[in-house]
Amino acid sequence: MEKDCIFCKIVKGDIPCAKVYEDDDVLAFLDISQTTIGHTLVIPKKHYDSFLSTPKELMHKVLNVAQTIGQSQITNLHAKGVNILSNCYPAAGQSVMHFHVHVIPRYKSSDGLVIDFKENKLLEEISLPSIAESIKKSL
Ligand code: AMP
Ligand code: ZN
C-alpha cells in the first residue's frame, strides 16, 4: 500500500470502482475515462510502479486476467478487436504509478483512438542492427 496511490486506495476499498474481476492477487475495474465502452484496467493488488518493476510471476497473473477480459470483451461486448497496453513511466504516458494493463475493446477503426506503428520517420537515421545489439546486452 503506497500512501498517495489512487489504485492502492481502490484495492483497499477507500475509493469506489466498477469491479470486473478480483482474486487474491489481481483486481480489474473499468477505467473511469472509458476511452471506448468497456475499457478495463487490470492491476496487481500489491503496489509496483510499473510493468517493468513487477515480479514476473505476478506480472503473468495480471496478463492472464487481461487476456481473459479481452476475450470476454469480444464475446460479450461484441468488440471487433482489443488493444492491450501498459504505459511505463511518464515519458511513455503513465499517469498512475501503480502497474496497470489497459484492456481496450475496439468496435471500429474510426473510434478516435489512434495507435499507429506504420509510420517510421526515423528509418533513414538509424541502424536497426546496432539498436538490436544494445537491447540484447541485458537479455
Ligand atoms: P495511464 O495514463 O496509463 O497511467 O492510465 C491511468 C488510467 O487510470 C487512466 O486511463 C485514467 O482514466 C484511469 N484512472 C484514474 N483514476 C481512476 C479511478 N479512480 N478509477 C478508474 N480509473 C482511473
Ligand atoms: Zn499503488
Side-chain angles (χ1 to χ4, degrees), residues 20 29-31 34-41 69 73 77 103-105 107:
V20 171
F29 52 94
L30 294 185
D31 190 302
Q34 290 295 281
T35 302
T36 62
I37 299 297
H39 178 178
T40 301
L41 300 174
I69 288 173
Q73 289 169 343
L77 296 182
V103 187
I104 307 172
Y107 302 95

Side-chain angles (χ1 to χ4, degrees), residues 36-101:
T36 62
I37 299 297
H39 178 178
T40 301
L41 300 174
V42 188
I43 69 170
K45 287 185 170 176
K46 192 164 176 206
H47 183 98
Y48 291 96
D49 71 359
S50 82
F51 169 85
L52 297 177
S53 58
T54 301
K56 286 199 192 304
E57 195 187 333
L58 183 55
M59 181 268 290
H60 291 156
K61 287 179 180 173
V62 171
L63 286 180
N64 185 37
V65 172
Q67 184 195 48
T68 304
I69 288 173
Q71 290 164 343
S72 177
Q73 289 169 343
I74 298 279
T75 303
N76 298 309
L77 296 182
H78 310 296
K80 300 284 182 281
V82 179
N83 290 114
I84 300 196
L85 64 95
S86 187
N87 299 324
C88 299
Y89 306 135
Q94 185 177 6
S95 62
V96 177
M97 299 306 292
H98 179 133
F99 168 39
H100 52 282
V101 174

Side-chain angles (χ1 to χ4, degrees), residues 56 132-139:
K56 286 199 192 304
E133 285 307 316
S134 296
I135 295 171
K136 279 155 67 177
K137 280 181 197 159
S138 293
L139 305 185

Side-chain angles (χ1 to χ4, degrees), residues 1-2 5-9 45-48 97-98:
M1 170 84 190
E2 193 90 350
C5 174
I6 195 160
F7 288 176
C8 283
K9 288 179 183 163
K45 287 185 170 176
K46 192 164 176 206
H47 183 98
Y48 291 96
M97 299 306 292
H98 179 133

